[in-house]
Amino acid sequence: MKCLRFLTAVTLLVAAWRPALAADATFPPGLRVGLAPLVGLSSAKSFSGFESEDQSVKVLVTELPPDAYGEVSTAFKANPAGAAAITPATIETPARPAYYTVETAQHGAASVRRYSMIVSGGTFSGYVAVQVPENATKIYSDDAVRQMFASAVIRKEVPVAEQLGLMPFNLTELSKFKNVRTLAPGAALVLADGDETTGFEPAPFMVIGVLGVTPPQPDDRGRFAQQSATTIPGVRDARITMSEPIRIDGMPAYETRIDATSGKDNTSVTVVQWLRFGGPHMLRIIGSAPRDQWSAAFPRFRAVRDGIQPRG
């Protein structure tokens, strides 16, 4: 039952939506899961998905790890009747069979109808969460939301230009990396020679993103850089081999290198982290390569780093 509540809990993060389906499925920018929003819904301004003009009806569209779909599937099969006020159901989509839940909840003082759907995208799980206020349920009914869920489709790739256009910086050099994948639209992306099927760790890859936190004082940058380098997700047994202040494109920065183990096959890797300071946000650039490929990978990492420019 935890997995069923997981579906509805994510709904609280954000939402979006529209009644009587539009003709074609729409993909929110940077995402591989799309659907035909109901009439009256348009692209949301502050999250990935759709919303009504008054922003009261919301449809959040996002991607979750691939295991999320399997966990929900197992939970549905173990308890097909659901529990409490949560109603579980299955639905066929052009992508794959999907699972969804429906419940009535409170949003502040208002009563709302909440819907959550998850569908497998193979290497990821597509997730859609809908919130409809009680006074809009005649238009955005259970049947209407079900029709929208049934229109869900998956695209294999997101055009590179679309992904890069969402980032708050210009990326002018890709260093011949074979795959570009958005981790969080407008916030982080991966450049990789591998893919999600084989795993990124056995080949060189980079993660580039913007962090909303910075060290409070310049003297804290070294400590901050070292702490963040040894807590990179997926990295184990990290050992710092170098950490020093540098400048990137005239801006203060910090370079930290570590030797570590990464991936399900316990690949021995060397990782470089660059933090570029300046302004309210901090640019974080991570490059990882198997240790025996490091000498060839590092110039590629540096070329990508030096090709990042402020947008506009």
Side-chain angles (χ1 to χ4, degrees):
M1 239 16 261
K2 288 184 178 179
C3 289
L4 297 184
R5 291 205 173 274
F6 161 77
L7 278 176
T8 57
V10 180
T11 310
L12 299 174
L13 297 178
V14 197
W17 148 273
R18 119 184 177 183
L21 294 172
D24 300 313
T26 299
F27 292 92
L31 296 180
R32 290 170 287 179
V33 58
L35 45 76
L38 296 174
V39 173
L41 301 181
S42 56
S43 295
K45 296 179 175 62
S46 60
F47 59 91
S48 295
F50 311 94
E51 62 188 354
S52 56
E53 186 175 358
D54 64 1
Q55 301 179 332
S56 65
V57 179
K58 302 174 182 296
V59 179
L60 166 71
V61 183
T62 191
E63 296 179 11
L64 299 175
D67 293 346
Y69 178 82
E71 292 172 1
V72 171
S73 175
T74 299
F76 267 60
K77 292 173 182 176
N79 191 356
I86 300 177
T87 304
T90 59
I91 189 170
E92 292 294 326
T93 76
R96 298 183 184 187
Y99 298 95
Y100 74 96
T101 60
V102 182
E103 68 171 329
T104 298
Q106 290 296 123
H107 182 69
S111 178
V112 297
R113 210 60 176 145
R114 287 199 177 121
Y115 310 81
S116 301
M117 183 190 74
I118 193 165
V119 61
S120 175
T123 57
F124 69 99
S125 299
Y127 177 77
V128 183
V130 180
Q131 180 168 294
V132 179
E134 187 175 24
N135 61 8
T137 54
K138 289 186 178 179
I139 300 174
Y140 299 98
S141 64
D142 289 357
D143 286 343
V145 175
R146 180 182 171 85
Q147 289 179 41
M148 183 174 67
F149 282 167
S151 72
V153 293
I154 299 294
R155 57 177 172 176
K156 185 177 180 180
E157 299 290 341
V158 179
V160 172
E162 179 181 322
Q163 296 184 67
L164 298 183
L166 297 172
M167 302 307 294
F169 49 77
N170 286 319
L171 191 61
T172 62
E173 174 58 59
L174 298 180
S175 278
K176 298 183 179 179
F177 279 105
K178 298 175 184 177
N179 295 302
V180 178
R181 171 70 63 233
T182 298
L183 288 180
L189 56 82
V190 174
L191 310 180
D193 284 342
D195 56 33
E196 292 163 309
T197 302
T198 61
F200 295 129
E201 294 84 0
F205 73 93
M206 300 185 73
V207 179
I208 305 168
V210 175
L211 300 180
V213 296
T214 60
Q217 301 295 332
D219 290 345
D220 295 326
R221 289 171 180 169
R223 176 184 53 80
F224 185 92
Q226 293 178 31
Q227 288 179 344
S228 59
T230 55
T231 57
I232 294 172
V235 168
R236 304 182 298 279
D237 306 319
R239 180 176 64 88
I240 295 175
T241 60
M242 185 270 275
S243 188
E244 63 183 25
I246 61 172
R247 297 191 78 81
I248 300 175
D249 197 25
M251 300 293 290
Y254 229 93
E255 177 177 330
T256 304
R257 299 187 197 182
I258 61 174
D259 285 339
T261 302
S262 184
K264 61 182 180 181
D265 295 325
N266 295 318
T267 303
S268 296
V269 296
T270 296
V271 180
V272 61
Q273 173 191 261
W274 288 294
L275 300 180
R276 191 176 75 184
F277 306 103
H281 304 292
M282 178 176 61
L283 183 65
R284 188 188 199 191
I285 306 164
I286 297 168
S288 173
R291 214 157 292 160
D292 59 358
Q293 300 178 42
W294 171 256
S295 60
F298 183 71
R300 298 172 65 194
F301 297 158
R302 192 164 51 192
V304 171
R305 180 202 73 182
D306 293 343
I308 299 174
Q309 301 294 331
R311 188 170 293 281

